[in-house]
Amino acid sequence: MSAGVETLLPQPVLDPVTPATAVNSINPVDGPFLRFPPFPLPPPEVTIMPFKDFKERGIAMEPGPDDAEVDTLGIPTIPLLHPHTTDVCKTNTKRKRKAEENKARKKGGAGSKNIPWYEEWEEAEVARFSTGFNPLSSRFERIQAAAIDFTSGRKWPLNYASETGPRYIFDKFLRYIGVPTSGPVPGEKKSKKAEEELSDDGMDDEEEQEGASVEPNVQEDSMAGIIMDREIPAKLQLSSNEEKLISFFNNPEKSIKIFLSSHARFEGFIWSDANLDCIGRIMDFFVRFILRSKVLPESERSLRRSLEVIEVAKKELPNTSALAKAFPDIFSRASSACWGWKAEGYTVLSLEDKDIPAESMKSMVEEVKEDEPVEQTSAWGSQPSWGSSADSTWASSTADGDGWGVSVIPESIPEPSPWEVVKEDNLLSLLGPTALPLTHTTGIVEQSMRRIKAIMPLPQNPPKPPPQPEGVCEPDAAAVELDLDCHFFKVVLEPMPVNWDGGDILAFSNPKILNTSRGAVADPNAAEPAPKAHDPFKDDVTLLMEAKSETVALLSVGMGLGGTWVQIAREGEPVKKKKKGKSKSKPVTYWYLDGLSVVTPSFWTVKS
C-alpha cells in the first residue's frame, strides 16, 4: 500500500429482504458512520412524533419567571452569542417596554441624558456575556476574568460625586470579595497590560516602581522558594484575597448580605443617598451577569438565592435614609412635647447659671470651640443626626444649645420676628380635645434595637368603649386608649437577636432601661417574674404611628430600628392582685418613639 493512497474497506451488503428490526445498531465495520436504512429503533419509553402532527411553538407574549422571554411551553429562549439586527424581544418583558419608551422619548425630542443609567444598561444587558475565561480554569481565574468583562464596554455614569456612584460601589465590592480592582478604566479599551495588572496582588504602580528600584539583581534560580522582605506584604495581601474569594465561593448569598448591610455601614457607603440607591442595582446586574455567563456553576444555587436579597435591598436601603428623616413621626414628637424628652442626651447649661464658676464656663466654651465639627450621620448611624431634618428629636432636645452641653448663641443668627408663628406639635392639635395627658403618663423608657414583627393597619370596625359607672365624671382611660387605636397604625417591635451587631454598635448591642423610666422591670436573675414587669429581652413593644401611607410604606417586616422607646402607662392605676384562673399574659400597652438613631434592613448580617 503506497503512501497518500486512500484505501476503502469493503462495505457489507445488506439483504434487502431482511426486516429493519433485524439490524438495530451501528455496523462495527463501518465504524462511526451511520447508513440508513435500516433505521434504529427508539427506546421503549420514547415516542417519535410524525412530522405531519408537529405543531410549531412560538414565543409567548407574557414573560416567564424573572421577566424572561419564553416560548408557549414555558421554556426560556437562548440568546445567540453573536447578535443580529433581527434579534428582537418578542415577549412583553420589562426590558422590551423600557426600550420602546426610550425609543419614543428620543423620537419625541428628549435626549438620552434623562434616562437613568440602569435603564440604559437593561436595553442590552441580556446579550452581554463573559467570554474571557476558560471554563476549565480555576474559580479565581474565572471570577477575575468575568470582572474585567463586566467592567469593560459599559457606559458608566460619571455624574456622581466623589466616593459615590455605581463604579465606586462595584470597585468596593471587588475589593470586598478579594478581586483586585486594577482593571480597565470605563470607556477605555481593555488592554493586555490591564489584564495582567488585574491578576497581580493589587499594589499601586508607585509602590511597584519603588520596589523595583531597590530590588537587588539576583538570579531567580539561586533564590527559588525564598520570599524577600519586600515581598512579604504582597504575599500576605494575596493570601487575604484568596481567603475572601473562598468565603464568597462557599456562600455567595451570605457574602452579599454582609456587603449590603454591616459592611456597607462599616465602610460608610450608607452616608450617601446616591449609594443607597445604586448599591442594590449594581449587585443585581453583576450577579445576573455571572449566572448568565455560567462563571460559577458550582455556586449557582446560592447566587440565585442572593437575587431575592438584592431585590429587597433595592427597596429597603433607600428607605433606611427616608426613615431616619421621617422618624420620630408627629405623634411621637407631640408625645415628647407633652411629657418631656426621656432619651439620654447632653445636659444643657446656661451661661447665666450662678452655680457654675466663670472660669470653668470659659474653659468649657473654649474646649467646645476647639473640637472638630460633628459629622452628620445617616440611616444606620449610632450617633444622633444633628440637623438631619427640621423636626429632629435630638435637635429639638438641644434647641437652646449647640448640641455639646453649653448654650452658645452665635451672633450671625438673627432674632425671630414677633410676627412669625412657630408651629409646635402637640396632642391637642393632633387628636382634638383628648384626655390623654390626664389619663396617661410615661412608664418604661427603654433604649434598644428592635425589629419590626408586624404592621397593623387601622381597624375597620373598632369596638365601643365600655360604659362608665353612674356618677363617675372622670376621664376614662379605656376610652382614650380606644381612640388611639382608631387613629394610628400599630407597629409591633420584637427584641433584636443577641449579638445582632457583633459588638460594633455598643450603644444598642443590648437593651438598656434609662433613669427616666418608671415601672417594674423584670429581673433576669429572679426565680419568678414580677407581675406586669417589662422584660426588654423578651417582650414586644407596640409603637403608635401616624396613619400616613407614604410613611408606612417605608417600613418592612424585619427592618431594625434603634432608639428610645417610651411606654404610655395609665395614670395612677393600682396594681391588681393576680386571681386564680386568670391569664398570665400582659395587657397590650402603647409606646412612642423618643429618638431614632439606627435603621437597618431586614437582611442585616454580620461577619461571623
Side-chain angles (χ1 to χ4, degrees):
M1 183 182 303
S2 60
V5 179
E6 182 179 1
T7 303
L8 299 177
L9 297 177
Q11 304 297 326
V13 179
L14 298 177
D15 188 359
V17 185
T18 304
T21 57
V23 179
N24 193 23
S25 62
I26 300 176
N27 194 321
V29 179
D30 292 345
F33 299 102
L34 296 176
R35 300 180 183 277
F36 305 106
F39 293 94
L41 294 179
E45 66 276 4
V46 175
T47 301
I48 300 178
M49 178 186 299
F51 184 77
K52 63 182 181 64
D53 298 334
F54 172 75
K55 294 182 180 180
E56 183 180 0
R57 298 286 182 175
I59 304 297
M61 293 298 296
E62 296 300 324
D66 296 332
D67 203 51
E69 184 184 57
V70 295
D71 62 7
T72 53
L73 295 178
I75 303 175
T77 60
I78 302 176
L80 300 176
L81 291 178
H82 302 285
H84 304 78
T85 56
T86 56
D87 296 341
V88 294
C89 183
K90 302 177 179 62
T91 305
N92 188 25
T93 60
K94 180 180 178 181
R95 174 171 54 90
K96 179 183 177 182
R97 293 193 300 270
K98 287 191 176 297
E100 293 175 350
E101 293 174 1
N102 296 338
K103 184 177 180 180
R105 187 186 297 115
K106 294 178 182 179
K107 186 176 180 180
S112 60
K113 60 181 180 180
N114 297 326
I115 303 176
W117 63 272
Y118 49 87
E119 292 187 6
E120 290 189 11
W121 283 20
E122 289 176 354
E123 295 181 15
E125 190 64 21
V126 70
R128 290 185 61 92
F129 290 86
S130 178
T131 58
F133 70 93
N134 183 358
L136 301 180
S137 60
S138 66
R139 296 180 297 179
F140 302 93
E141 296 173 338
R142 280 180 273 155
I143 192 68
Q144 292 186 24
I148 295 177
D149 291 340
F150 181 82
T151 305
S152 61
R154 290 183 180 272
K155 186 179 180 181
W156 292 84
L158 303 177
N159 56 338
Y160 282 89
S162 176
E163 298 187 353
T164 60
R167 183 57 197 268
Y168 171 78
I169 293 296
F170 184 64
D171 288 346
K172 288 294 184 180
F173 175 73
L174 294 182
R175 290 182 180 271
Y176 165 74
I177 64 174
V179 177
T181 57
S182 55
V185 180
E188 294 183 0
K189 187 177 181 180
K190 181 177 63 176
S191 61
K192 183 178 181 181
K193 180 180 179 181
E195 296 181 4
E196 294 174 354
E197 290 177 353
L198 188 62
S199 62
D200 63 12
D201 54 13
M203 291 193 302
D204 296 334
D205 294 339
E206 296 181 357
E207 295 177 357
E208 294 178 357
Q209 295 174 2
E210 181 180 357
S213 62
V214 298
E215 181 182 6
N217 187 11
V218 295
Q219 296 292 335
E220 292 185 359
D221 53 356
S222 62
M223 302 295 291
I226 300 178
I227 301 177
M228 306 297 294
D229 291 345
R230 76 169 197 87
E231 296 177 339
I232 291 179
K235 295 294 183 180
L236 294 178
Q237 180 69 22
L238 182 61
S239 176
S240 175
N241 286 341
E242 290 178 349
E243 182 180 354
K244 294 176 182 178
L245 279 170
I246 291 175
S247 299
F248 174 74
F249 293 148
N250 292 341
N251 196 339
E253 180 188 13
K254 181 180 179 181
S255 181
I256 291 175
K257 281 183 178 181
I258 295 174
F259 177 76
L260 293 174
S261 56
S262 59
H263 183 79
R265 181 190 179 276
F266 179 78
E267 291 292 331
F269 306 155
I270 61 170
W271 310 141
S272 170
D273 289 348
N275 287 339
L276 293 176
D277 180 69
C278 73
I279 186 172
R281 300 183 189 277
I282 195 66
M283 291 304 304
D284 183 74
F285 279 109
F286 183 67
V287 172
R288 294 185 185 276
F289 179 79
I290 294 296
L291 290 171
R292 189 167 55 249
S293 305
K294 302 294 183 181
V295 178
L296 300 173
E298 56 275 82
S299 305
E300 183 171 342
R301 183 173 300 179
S302 182
L303 282 170
R304 292 196 178 278
R305 288 197 303 266
S306 71
L307 290 176
E308 302 177 2
V309 179
I310 294 172
E311 196 65 28
V312 175
K314 289 193 292 185
K315 172 189 175 183
E316 291 187 358
L317 291 183
N319 286 351
T320 56
S321 177
L323 277 173
K325 300 171 184 176
F327 273 40
D329 64 340
I330 184 173
F331 173 74
S332 293
R333 296 196 303 267
S335 299
S336 297
C338 175
W339 290 300
W341 306 104
K342 305 300 179 182
E344 288 185 348
Y346 299 98
T347 305
V348 179
L349 302 179
S350 176
L351 291 175
E352 300 178 356
D353 195 340
K354 298 180 180 180
D355 297 334
I356 303 177
E359 296 181 358
S360 300
M361 180 62 68
K362 181 179 179 181
S363 62
M364 293 171 64
V365 173
E366 291 177 353
E367 183 179 357
V368 169
K369 291 181 179 179
E370 293 176 357
D371 288 339
E372 296 180 357
V374 182
E375 294 183 359
Q376 178 181 339
T377 61
S378 180
W380 307 341
S382 60
Q383 299 294 335
S385 300
W386 302 101
S388 59
S389 63
D391 300 321
S392 174
T393 298
W394 291 96
S396 301
S397 62
T398 58
D400 296 333
D402 66 343
W404 289 98
V406 181
S407 179
V408 179
I409 302 177
E411 298 179 356
S412 59
I413 299 179
E415 295 183 0
S417 172
W419 300 101
E420 294 181 359
V421 178
V422 180
K423 183 180 179 181
E424 295 182 355
D425 299 317
N426 57 77
L427 294 175
L428 294 179
S429 62
L430 181 63
L431 299 173
T434 178
L436 178 61
L438 303 177
T439 59
H440 291 73
T441 184
T442 59
I444 304 296
V445 180
E446 174 190 315
Q447 177 182 297
S448 65
M449 189 75 187
R450 287 186 168 269
R451 186 169 55 185
I452 299 177
K453 182 179 180 179
I455 302 174
M456 304 170 62
L458 299 177
Q460 298 294 333
N461 298 313
K464 296 181 179 181
Q468 286 187 296
E470 295 183 1
V472 177
C473 300
E474 297 180 357
D476 186 10
V480 172
E481 292 176 358
L482 183 61
D483 186 56
L484 294 178
D485 182 74
C486 297
H487 274 85
F488 302 102
F489 274 76
K490 290 171 284 296
V491 182
V492 182
L493 303 168
E494 61 182 354
M496 208 70 166
V498 179
N499 198 29
W500 68 273
D501 64 331
D504 289 339
I505 310 177
L506 296 179
F508 294 92
S509 294
N510 294 302
K512 179 182 178 182
I513 303 299
L514 303 186
N515 295 329
T516 53
S517 178
R518 294 188 297 179
V521 181
D523 185 2
N525 301 322
E528 184 177 355
K532 295 187 178 181
H534 174 69
D535 191 345
F537 292 92
K538 297 180 181 179
D539 293 344
D540 294 342
V541 163
T542 302
L543 177 70
L544 295 179
M545 193 184 71
E546 58 182 322
K548 285 187 177 181
S549 57
E550 60 271 15
T551 307
V552 177
L554 300 175
L555 300 173
S556 299
V557 175
M559 294 184 70
L561 302 175
T564 303
W565 318 99
V566 184
Q567 183 188 39
I568 303 176
R570 292 187 179 184
E571 181 75 57
E573 182 182 12
V575 178
K576 299 180 181 180
K577 295 183 179 180
K578 187 187 302 182
K579 297 181 179 181
K580 295 183 179 180
K582 294 291 183 179
S583 175
K584 296 182 180 180
S585 60
K586 302 174 184 177
V588 178
T589 58
Y590 296 137
W591 299 63
Y592 68 88
L593 178 63
D594 199 58
L596 181 66
S597 300
V598 185
V599 184
T600 60
S602 60
F603 51 86
W604 175 271
T605 310
V606 295
K607 187 177 181 180
S608 58

